[in-house]
mmCIF file of all heavy atoms in Angstrom:
data_model
loop_
_atom_site.group_PDB
_atom_site.id
_atom_site.type_symbol
_atom_site.label_atom_id
_atom_site.label_comp_id
_atom_site.label_asym_id
_atom_site.label_seq_id
_atom_site.Cartn_x
_atom_site.Cartn_y
_atom_site.Cartn_z
ATOM 1 N N SER A 101 260.223 -36.910 32.529
ATOM 2 C CA SER A 101 260.835 -36.443 31.287
ATOM 3 C C SER A 101 262.360 -36.680 31.257
ATOM 4 O O SER A 101 263.062 -36.523 32.272
ATOM 5 C CB SER A 101 260.555 -34.982 31.114
ATOM 6 O OG SER A 101 259.180 -34.723 30.931
ATOM 7 N N LEU A 102 262.862 -36.968 30.077
ATOM 8 C CA LEU A 102 264.285 -37.046 29.770
ATOM 9 C C LEU A 102 264.608 -35.773 28.999
ATOM 10 O O LEU A 102 264.046 -35.500 27.963
ATOM 11 C CB LEU A 102 264.570 -38.286 28.946
ATOM 12 C CG LEU A 102 266.041 -38.565 28.614
ATOM 13 C CD1 LEU A 102 266.853 -38.827 29.891
ATOM 14 C CD2 LEU A 102 266.148 -39.749 27.620
ATOM 15 N N ILE A 103 265.543 -34.998 29.521
ATOM 16 C CA ILE A 103 265.862 -33.674 28.954
ATOM 17 C C ILE A 103 267.288 -33.672 28.431
ATOM 18 O O ILE A 103 268.215 -34.081 29.137
ATOM 19 C CB ILE A 103 265.687 -32.572 30.017
ATOM 20 C CG1 ILE A 103 264.274 -32.612 30.655
ATOM 21 C CG2 ILE A 103 265.966 -31.207 29.385
ATOM 22 C CD1 ILE A 103 263.121 -32.324 29.674
ATOM 23 N N SER A 104 267.457 -33.151 27.244
ATOM 24 C CA SER A 104 268.807 -32.965 26.679
ATOM 25 C C SER A 104 269.245 -31.518 26.843
ATOM 26 O O SER A 104 268.436 -30.591 26.669
ATOM 27 C CB SER A 104 268.815 -33.336 25.189
ATOM 28 O OG SER A 104 270.101 -33.240 24.659
ATOM 29 N N ILE A 105 270.507 -31.329 27.170
ATOM 30 C CA ILE A 105 271.026 -30.009 27.361
ATOM 31 C C ILE A 105 272.188 -29.751 26.342
ATOM 32 O O ILE A 105 272.826 -30.686 25.910
ATOM 33 C CB ILE A 105 271.556 -29.763 28.830
ATOM 34 C CG1 ILE A 105 272.692 -30.791 29.102
ATOM 35 C CG2 ILE A 105 270.404 -29.897 29.809
ATOM 36 C CD1 ILE A 105 273.431 -30.563 30.358
ATOM 37 N N GLY A 106 272.402 -28.490 26.073
ATOM 38 C CA GLY A 106 273.584 -28.069 25.290
ATOM 39 C C GLY A 106 274.399 -27.141 26.101
ATOM 40 O O GLY A 106 273.880 -26.226 26.744
ATOM 41 N N THR A 107 275.704 -27.342 26.114
ATOM 42 C CA THR A 107 276.554 -26.579 27.032
ATOM 43 C C THR A 107 277.187 -25.322 26.391
ATOM 44 O O THR A 107 278.001 -24.660 27.024
ATOM 45 C CB THR A 107 277.708 -27.491 27.530
ATOM 46 O OG1 THR A 107 278.403 -28.097 26.424
ATOM 47 C CG2 THR A 107 277.121 -28.587 28.458
ATOM 48 N N SER A 108 276.845 -25.032 25.153
ATOM 49 C CA SER A 108 277.401 -23.867 24.447
ATOM 50 C C SER A 108 278.921 -23.784 24.641
ATOM 51 O O SER A 108 279.414 -22.832 25.248
ATOM 52 C CB SER A 108 276.711 -22.567 25.000
ATOM 53 O OG SER A 108 275.329 -22.688 24.926
ATOM 54 N N PRO A 109 279.651 -24.718 24.134
ATOM 55 C CA PRO A 109 281.107 -24.843 24.426
ATOM 56 C C PRO A 109 281.947 -23.673 23.975
ATOM 57 O O PRO A 109 283.077 -23.519 24.510
ATOM 58 C CB PRO A 109 281.537 -26.129 23.718
ATOM 59 C CG PRO A 109 280.484 -26.332 22.673
ATOM 60 C CD PRO A 109 279.219 -25.832 23.203
ATOM 61 N N TYR A 110 281.441 -22.847 23.045
ATOM 62 C CA TYR A 110 282.238 -21.687 22.634
ATOM 63 C C TYR A 110 282.009 -20.472 23.537
ATOM 64 O O TYR A 110 282.595 -19.411 23.346
ATOM 65 C CB TYR A 110 281.858 -21.303 21.201
ATOM 66 C CG TYR A 110 282.229 -22.440 20.172
ATOM 67 C CD1 TYR A 110 281.186 -23.113 19.562
ATOM 68 C CD2 TYR A 110 283.525 -22.766 19.943
ATOM 69 C CE1 TYR A 110 281.479 -24.124 18.657
ATOM 70 C CE2 TYR A 110 283.810 -23.780 19.068
ATOM 71 C CZ TYR A 110 282.794 -24.476 18.400
ATOM 72 O OH TYR A 110 283.073 -25.470 17.540
ATOM 73 N N TYR A 111 281.142 -20.652 24.562
ATOM 74 C CA TYR A 111 280.829 -19.566 25.510
ATOM 75 C C TYR A 111 281.042 -20.074 26.913
ATOM 76 O O TYR A 111 280.131 -19.982 27.752
ATOM 77 C CB TYR A 111 279.428 -19.067 25.277
ATOM 78 C CG TYR A 111 279.180 -18.470 23.940
ATOM 79 C CD1 TYR A 111 278.809 -19.270 22.853
ATOM 80 C CD2 TYR A 111 279.275 -17.113 23.710
ATOM 81 C CE1 TYR A 111 278.613 -18.696 21.602
ATOM 82 C CE2 TYR A 111 279.080 -16.543 22.460
ATOM 83 C CZ TYR A 111 278.726 -17.355 21.404
ATOM 84 O OH TYR A 111 278.529 -16.804 20.175
ATOM 85 N N LYS A 112 282.224 -20.536 27.226
ATOM 86 C CA LYS A 112 282.491 -21.145 28.523
ATOM 87 C C LYS A 112 282.457 -20.062 29.630
ATOM 88 O O LYS A 112 282.380 -20.407 30.832
ATOM 89 C CB LYS A 112 283.829 -21.840 28.491
ATOM 90 C CG LYS A 112 283.779 -23.100 27.665
ATOM 91 C CD LYS A 112 285.021 -23.922 27.715
ATOM 92 C CE LYS A 112 284.878 -25.165 26.866
ATOM 93 N NZ LYS A 112 286.081 -26.049 26.916
ATOM 94 N N CYS A 113 282.487 -18.786 29.267
ATOM 95 C CA CYS A 113 282.372 -17.732 30.244
ATOM 96 C C CYS A 113 280.984 -17.751 30.901
ATOM 97 O O CYS A 113 280.764 -17.172 32.000
ATOM 98 C CB CYS A 113 282.641 -16.391 29.618
ATOM 99 S SG CYS A 113 281.551 -15.955 28.266
#
Side-chain angles (χ1 to χ4, degrees):
S101 295
L102 184 63
I103 306 297
S104 183
I105 61 170
T107 54
S108 307
Y110 298 111
Y111 297 86
K112 291 187 178 180
C113 59

